[in-house]
Amino acid sequence: MTGTAPGTALADRDPAPAVPPPGPAQDGSRTRPRMPPMAAYVLRRVASSVLIVFGVTLVTFLLSSVVPADPATANLGQRALDDPEIVARYHAEQGLDQPLPMRYLTYLGHMVTGDLGTSQQTQRPVLDDLADKLPATVELVIMATLLALVFGVLLGVLSARRRGGRLDRTARTLSLTGVSLPIFWIGMVAAVVFVKNLGILPGSGRLAPALDPPAQITGFYTVDALLDGDLDAFASATAHLVLPASVLALSVVGMVLRFTRGAVLESLSSDFVKAAHAKGLRERGVLWGYAVRSSSGHLITATTLSFGLLLASTVYIEQQFSWNGIGQYAFRSSTNLDLPAVMGVSLLIALVFVVVNLIADLLYAAFDPRIRLS
């Protein structure tokens, strides 16, 4: 057998196919660049949020259309019962004589252009009414959310740190009590105690009657009074904000406490916290720097839920404390069967909920990259 020179077998083989350089393919087609995971995640969330808003408009429109009472009777009074022609004219002016699908499509067309109709109780565009009353509600809800987070997180962390102790039992009892009690009852008791009996807090309104509202910059009386340099208006606006914001916060502080307590207890039993203790780190540093920090996702959930619940509860509180915001506007609109205003309030609340949840989703993705890749 004749020997083979080294490398002859390799030389006789077909050469390996050359790897094409990156760039356009041989057939002229281009490889579509892949969207970054975070951008794809944001796009999916925005698309789902738009669908949710349109779904809310459809449900609200259908519910307002099947109300047994006639809006003409609610807005025209006795004249609607005495003269059918007036009722027919009212239906024609409001588009109530059109088929239901046509009315919904007309409403969507106006909504896309920013036209939410005219309020039957104020005779103003609904969008203008919402723009005027939204800052009052947002100021109230933000203050209540901050109070709920401060006290809920603090009590939740202390309760988790002293699990099973007297502070833990007391905090859990108070949280259960705050969640169980109706918010309108809490408001009535707080008004009797702090306004009527003690007289240390004002009872209604956003500002003392003797003071003029500050120049409108943000719509928040406390912020606008500071920007305007009016300390008397700032003190009065803050005093009027304390009681309704505290009542609102009390209704959700128990939920924040339980979320925080459960998350911190889970973190305290994790391996990285045990490793931090083994390194000899101080107890306070481990608690706040490791356990509480790792519970940020649960705190985002608690904040989102709190904001949504507080926004829904403003209907009771604003009516009780004469707070001229979206809640009071929604109450008056529903009692008067002001359908354009009811639809406008429903759309606004849906948008707020969607935006808040979208922000929460983005924060989740920022804290945990696994979410944006799912």
Side-chain angles (χ1 to χ4, degrees):
M1 173 180 269
T2 307
T4 305
T8 305
L10 295 178
D12 292 338
R13 294 180 183 178
D14 295 333
V19 178
Q26 297 290 338
D27 56 357
S29 62
R30 291 181 176 272
T31 304
R32 185 171 56 184
R34 188 177 180 182
M35 184 179 295
M38 189 63 181
Y41 178 80
V42 173
L43 186 60
R44 291 198 304 268
R45 290 297 180 266
V46 171
S48 62
S49 300
V50 173
L51 293 177
I52 290 173
V53 171
F54 277 100
V56 169
T57 61
L58 177 59
V59 172
T60 307
F61 183 84
L62 293 177
L63 291 177
S64 62
S65 300
V66 299
V67 174
D70 189 356
T73 305
N75 289 274
L76 300 179
Q78 188 63 33
R79 293 183 303 166
L81 301 178
D82 297 339
D83 192 347
E85 294 184 359
I86 295 180
V87 177
R89 190 182 313 117
Y90 179 86
H91 286 173
E93 292 175 354
Q94 301 298 324
L96 299 176
D97 57 343
Q98 300 293 327
L100 193 62
M102 184 61 65
R103 286 164 52 191
Y104 179 66
L105 292 177
T106 302
Y107 174 76
L108 284 183
H110 290 306
M111 183 191 71
V112 171
T113 60
D115 181 11
L116 301 181
T118 301
S119 172
Q120 299 164 10
Q121 56 179 330
T122 64
Q123 298 301 316
R124 298 179 59 204
V126 174
L127 190 61
D128 293 344
D129 286 342
L130 296 178
D132 289 342
K133 300 182 182 301
L134 181 62
T137 299
V138 173
E139 182 181 29
L140 179 61
V141 172
I142 288 178
M143 180 59 67
T145 303
L146 292 177
L147 291 174
L149 287 177
V150 169
F151 289 99
V153 171
L154 181 61
L155 291 176
V157 172
L158 295 179
S159 179
R161 183 182 180 184
R162 304 179 182 180
R163 181 180 184 181
R166 181 179 301 178
L167 177 61
D168 184 22
R169 294 193 299 269
T170 303
R172 284 188 292 172
T173 302
L174 292 177
S175 68
L176 183 61
T177 303
V179 173
S180 304
L181 293 177
I183 190 171
F184 61 86
W185 186 85
I186 298 175
M188 288 189 296
V189 172
V192 170
V193 173
F194 295 101
V195 178
K196 184 177 180 180
N197 293 343
L198 299 179
I200 58 177
L201 290 174
S204 61
R206 299 181 63 192
L207 204 64
L211 297 176
D212 294 328
Q216 187 170 358
I217 302 175
T218 64
F220 300 170
Y221 276 9
T222 51
V223 177
D224 291 345
L226 284 178
L227 295 177
D228 200 27
D230 191 347
L231 297 182
D232 292 335
F234 172 76
S236 178
T238 303
H240 282 77
L241 186 61
V242 168
L243 191 58
S246 299
V247 172
L248 277 176
L250 188 60
S251 65
V252 298
V253 68
M255 181 192 67
V256 178
L257 189 153
R258 298 181 73 87
F259 262 95
T260 305
R261 179 180 180 273
V264 173
L265 283 176
E266 182 180 353
S267 298
L268 288 176
S269 60
S270 60
D271 293 336
F272 66 89
V273 171
K274 295 178 181 178
H277 281 298
K279 292 179 180 179
L281 298 179
R282 296 178 58 184
E283 177 69 23
R284 181 177 300 179
V286 173
L287 178 65
W288 293 98
Y290 288 83
V292 177
R293 185 178 180 183
S294 65
S295 306
S296 56
H298 298 276
L299 296 182
I300 293 174
T301 302
T303 304
T304 305
L305 294 176
S306 299
F307 195 90
L309 292 174
L310 292 176
L311 184 64
S313 302
T314 54
V315 176
Y316 307 103
I317 296 301
E318 290 187 6
Q319 186 66 21
Q320 187 170 9
F321 290 96
S322 299
W323 196 270
N324 191 19
I326 294 294
Q328 192 177 60
Y329 182 72
F331 176 82
R332 293 176 179 175
S333 301
S334 60
T335 54
N336 293 324
L337 284 181
D338 189 351
L339 296 184
V342 171
M343 292 287 294
V345 171
S346 302
L347 178 62
L348 176 64
I349 293 178
L351 285 174
V352 172
F353 266 89
V354 166
V355 170
V356 170
N357 282 277
L358 180 60
I359 294 174
D361 289 340
L362 297 181
L363 291 177
Y364 277 133
F367 281 105
D368 190 351
R370 295 172 299 178
I371 296 177
R372 73 185 81 152
L373 296 176
S374 60

